[in-house]
Amino acid sequence: MTEEKLVYLFEEGNAQMKELLGGKGANLAEMTRIGLPVPPGFTISTGACRTFFEEDKAIPQSLQEEWAAALKTLEGALGKEFGSPENPLLVSVRSGAVHSMPGMMDTILNLGLNDKTLEGLAASSGNRAFALDCYRRFIQMFSDVVLHIDHFYFEEALTAQKMEAGVQQDPDLSEADLEKLITAYKGIVKNHTRKGFPQEPLEQLELAVKAVFDSWDNQRARVYRRLNRIPDHLGTAVNVQAMVFGNMGEDSGTGVAFTRNPSTGEKKIYGEFLINAQGEDVVAGIRTPLPIERMGEKMPGVHKEFLDVCALLEKHYRDMQDIEFTVEKGKLFLLQTRTGKRTTAAAVKAAVDMESEGLIDREEAVMRVDASQIDQLLHSQIDPGAKLKVIATGLPASPGAASGKIVFDADKAEEMAETGEKVLLVRTETTPDDIHGIVAAQGVLTTRGGMTSHAAVVARGMGKPCVCGCEAVEIDGALGIMEVEGLTLKEGELLSIDGSTGRVIRGQVPLIPPRLSSEFQHFLSWADEYRDMGVRANADTPEDAAKAREFGAQGIGLCRTEHMFMAQERLPVVQEMILAGDKKERDRALARLLPMQQQDFKEIFRAMASLPVTIRLLDPPLHEFLPNLEKLVIERTRLKCSGAPEKEIYEKDKLIKQIRSLSEANPMLGHRGCRLGILFPEIYEMQVDAIFHAVAELQDEGIQVTPEIMIPLVGTSRELEILRQMVEERALAISREQGREFHYLVGTMIELPRACVTAGSIAAHADFFSFGTNDLTQTTFGYSRDDAESKFLHHYINSKIIPENPFAVLDREGVGDLVKTGVDRGRREKPGLKMGICGEHGGDPSSIDFCQQVGLNYVSCSPFRVPVARLAAAQAALRMKKAGKG
Amino acid sequence: MTEEKLVYLFEEGNAQMKELLGGKGANLAEMTRIGLPVPPGFTISTGACRTFFEEDKAIPQSLQEEWAAALKTLEGALGKEFGSPENPLLVSVRSGAVHSMPGMMDTILNLGLNDKTLEGLAASSGNRAFALDCYRRFIQMFSDVVLHIDHFYFEEALTAQKMEAGVQQDPDLSEADLEKLITAYKGIVKNHTRKGFPQEPLEQLELAVKAVFDSWDNQRARVYRRLNRIPDHLGTAVNVQAMVFGNMGEDSGTGVAFTRNPSTGEKKIYGEFLINAQGEDVVAGIRTPLPIERMGEKMPGVHKEFLDVCALLEKHYRDMQDIEFTVEKGKLFLLQTRTGKRTTAAAVKAAVDMESEGLIDREEAVMRVDASQIDQLLHSQIDPGAKLKVIATGLPASPGAASGKIVFDADKAEEMAETGEKVLLVRTETTPDDIHGIVAAQGVLTTRGGMTSHAAVVARGMGKPCVCGCEAVEIDGALGIMEVEGLTLKEGELLSIDGSTGRVIRGQVPLIPPRLSSEFQHFLSWADEYRDMGVRANADTPEDAAKAREFGAQGIGLCRTEHMFMAQERLPVVQEMILAGDKKERDRALARLLPMQQQDFKEIFRAMASLPVTIRLLDPPLHEFLPNLEKLVIERTRLKCSGAPEKEIYEKDKLIKQIRSLSEANPMLGHRGCRLGILFPEIYEMQVDAIFHAVAELQDEGIQVTPEIMIPLVGTSRELEILRQMVEERALAISREQGREFHYLVGTMIELPRACVTAGSIAAHADFFSFGTNDLTQTTFGYSRDDAESKFLHHYINSKIIPENPFAVLDREGVGDLVKTGVDRGRREKPGLKMGICGEHGGDPSSIDFCQQVGLNYVSCSPFRVPVARLAAAQAALRMKKAGKG
């Protein structure tokens, strides 16, 4: 059907041909090309795999012809013959996709063996036990991965044979034992397939290639591709390579090694090897491998050669390599090299080291570290080697891991923490009343609520691990227990959570503390050299502000003022303000709030010294500050039932009525944001007064502050015009009163589709735009985040209806299109208008890349994401430069 | 300050100069130009008014100079002199804005009179009583409108004088009486202004002109402009005209007339006149004017001349005229002509008649009727002459007026209606359980809920008047009373509502029944000739469908299926379906719903014969069909308090838990629309099956139906792709089962911003788009309609933050921009893709005009708006043609 070349000898390829030959094939070709000792072989291209799927899983005739020709070349080079009973050529068959992918069929060794070639191998190696061992390994492996017979049956037979022979280790089996074992294995195959074990080497090869192709489409591989955004249509290549044997005695062996330490990045070969073994023995863990240093004692010549090869490969590829090798009778063969996977800490160290070694330049060093991973370095992590009893999974609401004693109550949490206990706060959901408990706890687990629930927002702000909405957990606070799928845990028992993955784990887990190495700081300073966009933080408290500066934030891009209203001692005053019967009563309550707000702002300004601070005026609907309506209704019903005095019921009714009149069908789309400021100007006036009074006090301390006052949820230019005028009037009044001069900016959130399309007229009244992509995502998609995440979004992502959670990664096609419209129209009206982003996307590398592309001036994100954003912004700028747009 | 000409003699202007001269001035100039008898005069331009406001309300020097010159011209023409004690020139001063505007200062007659010119007038007229009468009228009028002295004081003095003289009528006052009265009037002026009555004619003129300018900016005028969307900066002109006197005896008189009957449109002069009277006497109603026909008896020559003038003016202006005239000693003078205001019925008849008279062509006839008014003709209206006791105002939720006995309960309403009583259903809010009561009632009044509440939606569907969310009314169902601001009304008392304005009126009101004249049908058929866009109806029941066809709908553009689920006998099955523990249980409930849905669709298809029917699959979140959570919680608390059996409480708890798990923070943005169809495919499958089974049954009846299946709330192309595939699979299965062929379309609502911006990829899977501008307005603005209308929207509209309610009139700048994007991107992918609108905007003329401009193929609206839409679509097409884009 297709005329394209489907099979490439290793000598025909090179490292650039990954798309066609897969990663493994391209690197085997490259190593061959630069003269390293690679056993000869060939690669069946990814194109062949695509053809296979297009043609209903049939191996095309042309492919069979091409691999037959390639086998001939191998036979000629090695003087062996595939299927020869005298001097048989044996091959390994390995998958090799463009991107390394677990879950696919991996490796078959010793292919080409059968009852006859076995004898040839025995003769040519002069070692019949070795040949038998190869054959039984081959049957076992082939049956498992090609014929899909559970390897349990073969293990069982092997164990039985060892018992019969009275030996402990596989290599101790005698020739006779191995013969019996092979017979038993063949019986298993016959039993399961109703056919004998395939004896024809070419049939073996065809079945193996098909199995590799098929494994591209298996469940695990598909899931992996979805998670890693690898397109489904790429297909995999297959590598067929002449066998070399590490199991030919004490002068043979096999091993794997990294050219640098993949955990720490230290520049030192790191790996292990096994004498007299084949590849899978290292992985299987039956024998304990030796550290690679010991190779120097066992086979000094090979060791030296290997060290040279490692140095060469690292230099050639200009990156840390992960190498597989085999030694056959004292001769070193390389079976694979690839870029070594590493921890983020190692990635940072290696990048910094390689730059100073001159291996890579600084730009490349900056590109070498995955930005989305580096916040790991700021949070405790669970030791990846630990065995975990995961009992449930919730939403990964705030990253990091924590262990502690279960506590169901905030007061109790505080009490226990004061005695030095580590506690984990477990609640159905949290409210502002629980803040002291969250402060006291190592982390928070809730059974309800999404990524924007109170617990999630507060925990993220504090940098505390949090798992939310873990619905499998049921709490009975009265009994002091929690239940998960039949398991009951009592208060005081140890529990752990991983806020980066959502896992809830029974007992204590070993934690790796965060590392903020000097290399890391150094590395980030390089990133800062390359980025165009500023990086600010979303911070609502002086503590957050300090943390943000520590992580390198260049200002505050979003200081939400509502959390200030939520503080336990303020809530009653806030409620008084909201429930005020008239403006006078409201003004009285506001007058009490003013000095508190003033103090808040003063401390935040001071913490940020003279860096810019963007303060968003009150945003949430007022009923969010009021008591829960349902609870009140229950209380009222109880009072009525218990015959309480009419007056008490009347009071309750009055409150219920007030709250009901404020409650809304869709609060997200209700009376909030600047709509509050328009209808209750006195609230915003109080906030603006507090800002300028705070600025004034700091002037007396010699600190100059230029507050950036941000109006939320603007949908029409007139809203901004009115509120801007109010700000200007208040600023003027206070400046006249106090004989001072104020500098300030007034800008707006762009967080509604209408704000994006009318950005031109809005820009006329704005000193800056800050894209609020959380709300913009909600309105653009018509998704209420809380509802969507608990109801359908998970399914949508799993079924690929949307590629990823649009609240985590900015949806470029939809939301991004509107952002772009907003930027373009805003700048057309006011060229050079300062624009930033302060949604959660401001801390997500892919979204930051988008921000760079549309020309934003800064991103703002939670303090703990600031380093991520610094790096991601640098990488985005470099990518753009590379694409010739910088 | 300004060099522009500010004063124009009547002979210098014409009808085209309205912007400059105002409507009245331009028409006076025009009548002068075509040789009609108009007393000479001049117009002070609107530009002068603008200058006045720009210059802090000072009359510019140049203006005074210009009007002095114009007065000179008048003096020359008439041989009189302004301020002359011998032969004084007297003038009238009248405002005249570009758009006729009630609320502004209107008229001052006899200006120029003072103690000296009085004698001149007495001498020149030879009638001292007449001259005195003119003077006292002038003082009274000038004091009222220029000096702002309440006319009550003058009425009081006049009454006192008549009592003293022992006469009943004003004209019976003797010269001596009038002298005394004038002295008394001057005393009143002195008393209030501490100054004498202005004697200097030029000062009188300046004060009068200032008063006209000032009245442009008064409260009433401003409110009127806001309501009628007249820009504030236009300003008003002032007309100064030589007086002619209708009060000079039995050969004099004054009157007003329409060239056709303004109520019915009948082609017959319609008006009234008074012998021996000045203009204000006709309005004041002290004497009863005569019908214009009687003029033929009283002054046959003048009458004939007047009829000729009427005919001439109508022909000249090519429209019905509203004319003011005065007869001075047998000579006819015209004081004003303007386009006559008319009822909608009259507008239709006049347009049809004028076309057949050859006065206007058909296109112009179609343009002559205000589309937004014609649905008046389909609903009863309150007689505009009736005196009403308006006791409260709510939201105008469904147009038309109704009177009936107050009933607080649906069953009672049905019961009383069966005995022939007319009832009005008054409830806090309605639920599906009240449907039979709504059917039985003349109209519905609710105290809670907005324009999209259950009562509103159901009443609009039935074409029944409804006033919603009338919060001033409190209902005590137990006592059988309602209270409004201290007033208590009992069940059975008469009450009326006006669903077009939201008024609630005590007692019965006289109603004008709807008129669907043959002229109207004829007129609409003309409209149909010109429109490009189809007009469909939103109809959910066979009754609605029939009504829609009656009004000329060309199909159904939106058949909502959720109302079918709400029917009393179905709700329990729907609830069973929703609360099903597993798919099997759900399938069982769905199997019971299938035949009901099938029957629904069959009847609707049959009612529409072979016209297209667009069926929207289930849209609302499932919890809308479930019992109210709060009520359940109260019941549960009561059970607990009263020590009910544990089992009963357990059952309640179970239900509460289920409902809670389905309830959402923001249902508008939650698990609804196609998100239901994706997660619970069995529900949509049932609906699709019901559609095709219904189509099949109608095929047996010989009716061919091509259903248009519409997927709601699509935000990503993949959703539509999946659900389209489902529809295709079901259609294929049923067609194979039954050996039939089906024709159908699958399309989608475009009602999310994301759907608009990604319309290109969505179009790939759509046979049609239907813009759901209700939801699109909600998400684009970030307004929850219910919350916005009850919380802040009213204020926003009143303060001009937004020009009008975006749920009534499509917001072109924001929502419209997104619609345009949707159209353009959709058609770029699929040229010629059929597109319509099915939001409420589909029945609003301004929005329909927009739909024409962006190139939609059809609009769909409620059945009662179909005639509006037919006309508006025609006018939009004609406007576009005229603008050269047609």
Side-chain angles (χ1 to χ4, degrees), chain A residues 485-768:
Chain A
E485 319 240 338
L487 175 72
T488 302
L489 295 173
K490 286 198 290 278
E491 185 165 280
E493 285 194 55
L494 280 166
L495 190 71
S496 303
I497 56 171
D498 182 353
S500 310
T501 62
R503 289 177 300 176
V504 179
I505 302 138
R506 188 173 184 181
Q508 186 140 22
V509 296
L511 297 180
I512 303 178
R515 303 183 212 187
L516 267 177
S517 62
S518 63
E519 271 113 349
F520 182 61
Q521 305 281 15
H522 195 55
F523 177 75
L524 283 178
S525 74
W526 288 356
D528 292 344
E529 287 172 23
Y530 294 112
R531 69 184 158 85
D532 306 325
M533 290 191 293
V535 174
R536 297 190 183 190
N538 301 348
D540 309 338
T541 63
E543 295 73 36
D544 285 355
K547 213 174 293 165
R549 283 190 70 188
E550 185 191 326
F551 289 141
Q554 296 163 291
I556 291 180
L558 173 63
C559 173
R560 287 166 289 237
T561 50
E562 53 268 26
H563 297 141
M564 300 168 180
F565 279 36
M566 288 283 190
Q568 220 177 349
E569 69 281 9
R570 297 181 185 182
L571 204 53
V573 190
V574 172
Q575 295 180 345
E576 217 177 289
M577 183 267 285
I578 295 168
L579 298 175
D582 52 31
K583 189 170 173 308
K584 214 169 124 190
E585 252 184 74
R586 175 169 297 122
D587 283 344
R588 232 181 354 247
L590 285 168
R592 285 167 62 203
L593 285 172
L594 174 72
M596 303 180 193
Q597 280 264 284
Q598 186 173 334
Q599 191 62 24
D600 294 329
F601 295 141
K602 204 171 132 186
E603 285 173 16
I604 287 177
F605 290 148
R606 196 186 283 131
M608 295 307 286
S610 48
L611 292 177
V613 176
T614 308
I615 294 172
R616 179 176 76 183
L617 301 187
L618 197 66
D619 182 53
L622 297 181
H623 48 80
E624 275 197 13
F625 301 99
L626 297 180
N628 180 284
L629 186 59
E630 190 179 310
K631 270 190 197 153
L632 283 174
V633 167
I634 292 175
E635 280 168 24
R636 193 254 179 222
T637 311
R638 285 215 186 107
L639 286 175
K640 190 85 183 172
C641 287
S642 65
E646 275 304 316
K647 183 162 163 45
E648 223 173 295
I649 295 171
Y650 172 80
E651 287 296 326
K652 209 54 103 182
D653 276 343
K654 199 176 137 195
L655 186 58
I656 288 173
K657 210 169 158 183
Q658 281 181 300
I659 295 177
R660 211 192 288 287
S661 81
L662 283 168
S663 70
E664 296 180 303
N666 297 288
M668 228 313 285
L669 306 177
H671 192 191
R672 49 170 290 231
C674 68
R675 301 162 196 171
L676 290 175
I678 298 275
L679 265 78
F680 306 114
E682 55 274 19
I683 300 179
Y684 272 22
E685 277 165 23
M686 178 280 283
Q687 294 198 296
V688 170
D689 284 4
I691 291 170
F692 287 107
H693 283 305
V695 171
E697 288 192 25
L698 286 180
Q699 286 181 346
D700 294 340
E701 295 181 17
I703 301 172
Q704 290 305 322
V705 180
T706 301
E708 305 187 349
I709 297 174
M710 182 153 75
I711 311 295
L713 213 69
V714 162
T716 70
S717 57
R718 183 76 184 123
E719 290 167 323
L720 185 57
E721 189 181 358
I722 291 170
L723 292 170
R724 181 187 188 100
Q725 193 183 336
M726 179 278 289
V727 173
E728 285 172 353
E729 281 167 11
R730 294 310 308 153
L732 187 66
I734 298 170
S735 94
R736 280 190 184 150
E737 236 169 70
Q738 305 202 355
R740 298 174 185 274
E741 209 177 314
F742 293 131
H743 299 282
Y744 59 94
L745 303 179
V746 181
T748 179
M749 300 277 285
I750 300 286
E751 52 187 333
L752 292 170
R754 196 177 191 281
C756 293
V757 298
T758 65
S761 51
I762 292 172
H765 308 286
D767 298 325
F768 63 89

Side-chain angles (χ1 to χ4, degrees), chain A residues 350-582:
Chain A
V352 173
D353 286 352
M354 287 183 199
E355 194 267 358
S356 64
E357 290 160 24
L359 207 57
I360 56 178
D361 65 19
R362 195 165 286 188
E363 290 189 12
E364 189 156 1
V366 167
M367 295 303 289
R368 278 285 169 87
V369 178
D370 182 350
S372 66
Q373 300 292 318
I374 66 166
D375 71 330
Q376 285 179 6
L377 302 181
L378 313 177
H379 300 286
S380 288
Q381 285 173 263
I382 296 176
D383 186 331
K387 295 238 159 149
L388 306 177
K389 282 186 213 151
V390 176
I391 56 173
T393 303
L395 299 169
S398 178
S403 295
K405 288 188 174 170
I406 297 169
V407 183
F408 299 110
D409 177 276
D411 295 334
K412 187 74 184 285
E414 195 175 36
E415 196 180 293
M416 283 173 69
E418 277 168 6
T419 69
E421 296 268 25
K422 294 195 168 177
V423 298
L424 210 63
L425 184 63
V426 179
R427 292 193 60 81
T428 309
E429 52 200 343
T430 64
T431 70
D433 292 344
D434 296 320
I435 297 271
H436 59 297
I438 302 176
V439 170
Q442 300 297 309
V444 184
L445 167 65
T446 71
T447 62
R448 270 204 236 141
M451 304 285 288
T452 48
S453 63
H454 178 263
V457 170
V458 171
R460 276 200 296 274
M462 295 182 185
K464 247 177 228 283
C466 175
V467 171
C468 272
C470 185
E471 298 193 350
V473 172
E474 292 215 37
I475 299 172
D476 190 326
L479 292 179
I481 56 165
M482 57 180 270
E483 293 190 315
V484 201
E485 319 240 338
L487 175 72
T488 302
L489 295 173
K490 286 198 290 278
E491 185 165 280
E493 285 194 55
L494 280 166
L495 190 71
S496 303
I497 56 171
D498 182 353
S500 310
T501 62
R503 289 177 300 176
V504 179
I505 302 138
R506 188 173 184 181
Q508 186 140 22
V509 296
L511 297 180
I512 303 178
R515 303 183 212 187
L516 267 177
S517 62
S518 63
E519 271 113 349
F520 182 61
Q521 305 281 15
H522 195 55
F523 177 75
L524 283 178
S525 74
W526 288 356
D528 292 344
E529 287 172 23
Y530 294 112
R531 69 184 158 85
D532 306 325
M533 290 191 293
V535 174
R536 297 190 183 190
N538 301 348
D540 309 338
T541 63
E543 295 73 36
D544 285 355
K547 213 174 293 165
R549 283 190 70 188
E550 185 191 326
F551 289 141
Q554 296 163 291
I556 291 180
L558 173 63
C559 173
R560 287 166 289 237
T561 50
E562 53 268 26
H563 297 141
M564 300 168 180
F565 279 36
M566 288 283 190
Q568 220 177 349
E569 69 281 9
R570 297 181 185 182
L571 204 53
V573 190
V574 172
Q575 295 180 345
E576 217 177 289
M577 183 267 285
I578 295 168
L579 298 175
D582 52 31

Side-chain angles (χ1 to χ4, degrees), chain B residues 195-482:
Chain B
K195 285 189 275 188
F197 184 79
Q199 289 291 320
E200 176 51 53
L202 277 172
E203 188 197 349
Q204 291 173 356
L205 181 60
E206 180 171 341
L207 288 171
V209 171
K210 269 189 174 174
V212 173
F213 286 166
D214 274 334
S215 71
W216 171 259
D217 205 35
N218 74 24
Q219 180 67 18
R220 279 204 296 158
R222 279 206 308 258
V223 169
Y224 182 85
R225 283 200 294 276
R226 182 167 52 70
L227 291 177
N228 292 274
R229 290 176 244 156
I230 298 171
D232 277 339
H233 69 270
L234 291 181
T236 181
V238 186
N239 299 292
V240 178
Q241 186 172 27
M243 281 298 301
V244 288
F245 299 96
N247 55 343
M248 290 188 83
E250 292 303 307
D251 58 351
S252 301
T254 188
V256 294
F258 288 86
T259 56
R260 304 188 184 218
N261 185 315
S263 293
T264 64
E266 193 192 0
K267 186 175 169 104
K268 192 173 163 215
I269 307 279
Y270 178 92
E272 44 194 26
F273 81 113
L274 266 176
I275 299 280
N276 193 17
Q278 268 200 342
E280 80 270 27
D281 297 334
V282 180
V283 184
I286 303 164
R287 291 159 58 197
T288 305
L290 298 173
I292 205 88
E293 297 84 17
R294 299 284 304 280
M295 206 176 165
E297 304 159 21
K298 302 278 178 179
M299 26 179 96
V302 174
H303 183 235
K304 197 189 159 300
E305 188 188 353
F306 182 67
L307 293 185
D308 290 347
V309 164
C310 284
L312 177 73
L313 281 174
E314 210 186 53
K315 198 164 170 203
H316 185 73
Y317 282 101
R318 300 170 50 256
D319 202 355
M320 181 210 292
Q321 295 298 299
D322 169 0
I323 300 167
E324 286 181 25
F325 64 94
T326 282
V327 180
E328 184 182 291
K329 298 191 167 175
K331 175 156 173 46
L332 175 71
F333 290 97
L334 296 170
L335 300 181
Q336 167 157 318
T337 191
R338 59 181 171 185
T339 302
K341 285 210 157 63
R342 64 208 85 177
T343 63
T344 306
V348 170
K349 179 161 171 46
V352 171
D353 287 352
M354 287 182 198
E355 193 267 356
S356 62
E357 291 160 24
L359 206 60
I360 56 178
D361 65 17
R362 195 165 287 186
E363 289 189 11
E364 189 156 1
V366 167
M367 293 305 289
R368 276 287 169 86
V369 178
D370 183 348
S372 66
Q373 301 292 317
I374 65 163
D375 71 331
Q376 284 179 7
L377 302 180
L378 313 178
H379 300 287
S380 289
Q381 285 173 264
I382 296 176
D383 185 332
K387 296 239 158 146
L388 306 176
K389 283 185 211 151
V390 176
I391 55 174
T393 303
L395 298 170
S398 177
S403 293
K405 289 187 173 170
I406 297 170
V407 182
F408 298 110
D409 176 276
D411 295 335
K412 189 71 184 290
E414 195 175 36
E415 197 180 293
M416 284 174 69
E418 277 169 8
T419 70
E421 296 268 28
K422 292 193 166 175
V423 299
L424 210 65
L425 184 63
V426 179
R427 293 193 59 80
T428 310
E429 53 199 342
T430 64
T431 69
D433 291 343
D434 296 320
I435 297 271
H436 60 298
I438 301 175
V439 171
Q442 300 296 309
V444 184
L445 167 64
T446 70
T447 63
R448 269 204 236 140
M451 303 285 287
T452 47
S453 64
H454 179 263
V457 170
V458 171
R460 277 201 296 275
M462 295 184 186
K464 247 176 229 285
C466 176
V467 171
C468 271
C470 185
E471 298 193 352
V473 172
E474 290 217 35
I475 298 172
D476 190 326
L479 292 180
I481 57 166
M482 56 181 270

Side-chain angles (χ1 to χ4, degrees), chain B residues 8 126 306 312 497 526 614:
Chain B
Y8 292 77
F306 182 67
L312 177 73
I497 56 170
W526 289 355
T614 309

